[in-house]
Amino acid sequence: MQKFYDVRGPIGRLFVLLVAFGVFSIFAGYYTDWLWFRSVNYQNVFTTILYNKMSTYAAVFLFTFLLFYLNLQLTRRHMSDSGRPRRTEEGRDIIYLEQQFSVWRDFLEGPRARWIFLLISLIAAFLISSVSSGEWLTVQQFLKRVSVGISDPLFHRDLGFYFFNLGFYQFVYQTLMSSLVLLIITVCVVYGVGASASLIGGNWKSYSLPKGHIGILLVVFFLLKAWGYWLNFFEILYSPSGVIYGAGYTQIYADLVAYKAMLVISLAIAVIIVINLFSKRIKWILYAVGVWLVVAVVMQGLYPSIVQKLVVQPDEFNKEKPYIENAIKFTRQAYNLDQAASKEFNISFDLNIDDPANRTTLDNIRLWDWQPLKTTYQNLQQLRSYYVFDDVDIDRYTVDNKYRQIMLSAREIDQSELPAQAQTWINQRLMYTHGYGVVASPVNEIAQEGFPNFFIKDIPPRSSTSLVVTRPEIYFGERTSSYVIVNSKQQEFDYPAGDQNKYTTYQGKNGIPVGSFGRRLMFSWILKDYKMLISSEVDANSQVLMNRNVKSRIQKIAPYLRYDNDPYIVIAPDGRLYWMLDAYTYANRYPYSQPYDQYGNNYIRNSVKVVCDAYTGEMNFYMADASDPLIQVYSKIFPGLYKPLDQMPEGLKPHIRYPEDMFSVQAGMFSTFHMTDPYVFYNKEDAWVIPTQTTGDKQAAMTPYYLLLRLPGDSNPEYMLMLPFTPKGRLNMVSWMGVRMDGNNYGKMLVYTFPKQETVFGPQQIDARLNQDTTISQQLTLWSQSGSKVYRGGLLVVPLNTSILYIEPLYLQAENSQMPELKRVIVGYGDRIVMEANLTDALVSLFGKGANQPAQPPAPQGTGTQTSSVKDLVKLARQYYDQANQALKDGNWASYGENLSKLNGVLSQLEQTAK
């Protein structure tokens, strides 16, 4: 009969084959990863991570293996000294047990015991070390640690201890404790099964060498347990159970006292066990362990509850006051809220709308919400079914020498949207490889029919301003996820040109060369694509472009950072396209700081700005906050990865944005931690909330929004991110928070509070007044009943001089149409609210005919606005002509006739102007 472990048999051969496949798969995975890291010039990052993972794993594996193997070898020597049962009438049960275990004892004392113990040691080492490689960063943070320069208020240790030392100590403690507990159990089982029934049913009070061996292990266990209690001292700084997050009165005078008592008792037990090794009094150990258990129940369970109920609760504020002060101070530090400059916004209701200083702000008020604008972009500029607009970004540019706020969206490709018959391997992997261009429109301009006024549109990109795109191909993007093969014998589809298609060849060098047959075999295996292996279109000069999703691509280089949810596309001055993404360092070890998420993280910094070329995929990581201790350590672990921010290309620096995710976290914290008086904080007398608003047809919390804003007292507008606050339980606006981001002012946070004696309407009150306005509400009802869907855009609170404007766009979408149209703009000021066709008319309604009106795009005759500029009329004529041609291609005869009619109206105006 063939033995199962005989490699010459079918089972043995199958086993060898499976092992070979496993080894090849692991090797291919690592090798492919190394090729990818090398292709993007970050091979040092790959080798650093791999080396540290393997070193950490090997160190833990070797330590655990030696610990188990040496101790198990020791059990072989002590088996004969473990005691034999006495053959008395009363000991019949022991004799029976001895007979049952005799077979196992002979086996463990035989020549195969060494191999058995070797196998047990290897299994234990594998179990313990299997999770250790994931802690390589913890080890490296400890080795490359830095000081923070701030000490905690309780133990007076530098915060670097909590960021870098404490996590490492806990990793070592957990590894040692897991190994020791498993070892004690293993040793007891070996002694019990292989050595002596007396350990199970004999005289426990008698001493033997096996019991001495176990005793030594228990000494180590209790010494280690004492160290664990010392580590628990620092855990009270993150206690969530008190009035504040962190160590309060009960944690310091009950929990900390309990940990100290348990530490002393654990050391005492260790000493008692050592003494017992000489005095041979086993019962002392039993008494000591019993005391340890009783004290643990009393000190760690009952005592803190008694202190909380009898000492703290009757006089809670006075007992907790110093710790509330700690929580306020350290939470504000952890989120940089202590750097926010607070000012009073002395609101007035005498706004001079004609002031030229307000022109830039009024010309850049965002009337387009990204959700309806994305739908409009898709319907007007998708052009082909396989093109997609995944998101709409907002940024600022100097356009025709004017500082403008622009909305942009990248036209990416999604091969899954190809017609079913066209979804071939050649098309999906070799031909349809990239998206093409962007669309861009100003935030405030409305063209005919309530559509955006495009600055950049169509394929190839056509620009009506100084903003141009010279390298429109998008190989890496937000929607892009599948791999492609470029530089093959098959030319790539570039863009559609009428009935013909244009083709191109990838010019970048950041792909992975396919190279030899062996490398192609590994790619086929890893990518699960056998066609790559057999395709005649792929040769050695072809390149594989992998990890093309910009966020996951960047995350693969630095997985220990947290990334913003919104990568945004940027048009560089030379016309190339880049993705910019904000990255955060974060930690859950800032003493007394309130966590901002469910994982307990209570420290965050926007320390890294990442730039990714949309064509080549080249990535650069820039250190945006050199004062952050975490990024200082990461830059030491990965030398050369993080570049100084001043090395960022000059053309990209003006597009650095303060991220919305970061600002949302800070605003959420500031709503509570603006209260710096401990009594006010304790009673939550001045708590703020982020107001809700109606967006679409749903109520939702306001999100931060960007504005080109001139701050009170300043002469020039600047790009800002802001959000208003309302008092908890009331609807009026109490303050607004903003962060600057132009030039040297980047990151400076401001909080403007309104005078308490003034009532300033909050967003919910504006919504309520809008619903109560008979003219507006009747019009909304009428539109909703006449086959149209009304979409209410997000409300903007716009500080202007020392006044406040409220602006909300209104979109209409017909039942038989998929395109929302911006049809009305609602503007509120003081106690008045109006709804007009555009912002200009709304401001005129509020402030009179002399109002400083924002620039509006030209409109054809019959729309209510006359245009005399020949340049504007020519531009509009071209727009209608292009739309008519597109409608003709799409077979939309109604739209074709409508655009011809509008073109005729513009030509009539041109004739009048020529006269």
Side-chain angles (χ1 to χ4, degrees), residues 2 81 91 219 283 373 378 411 461 488 593 765:
Q2 185 69 46
D81 298 317
V219 169
K283 62 181 180 180
L373 185 60
Q378 287 172 337
R411 186 185 289 106
S488 66
S593 176
Q765 289 174 315

Side-chain angles (χ1 to χ4, degrees), residues 162-163 238 245 586-591 597 599-603:
Y162 300 98
F163 278 175
Y238 314 104
Y245 185 85
Y586 62 99
N588 59 0
R589 288 295 168 186
Y590 206 95
D597 63 12
Y599 306 109
N601 292 309
N602 60 359
Y603 171 88

Side-chain angles (χ1 to χ4, degrees), residues 377 381 389 408-411 436-440 454-462 467-469 472 474 569-571 577 579:
Y377 279 172
Q381 284 291 305
F389 293 102
L408 311 92
S409 188
R411 186 185 289 106
Y436 203 87
V438 298
V439 292
F454 290 103
F455 280 0
I456 300 176
K457 63 177 181 178
D458 296 342
I459 297 178
R462 292 195 299 110
L467 198 63
V468 296
V469 176
I474 300 175
I569 196 79
V570 171
I571 305 173
L577 299 177
W579 293 100

Side-chain angles (χ1 to χ4, degrees), residues 565-587:
N565 288 318
D566 184 26
Y568 57 99
I569 196 79
V570 171
I571 305 173
D574 62 357
R576 295 183 67 93
L577 299 177
Y578 294 89
W579 293 100
M580 296 187 74
L581 180 60
D582 290 279
Y584 310 109
T585 54
Y586 62 99

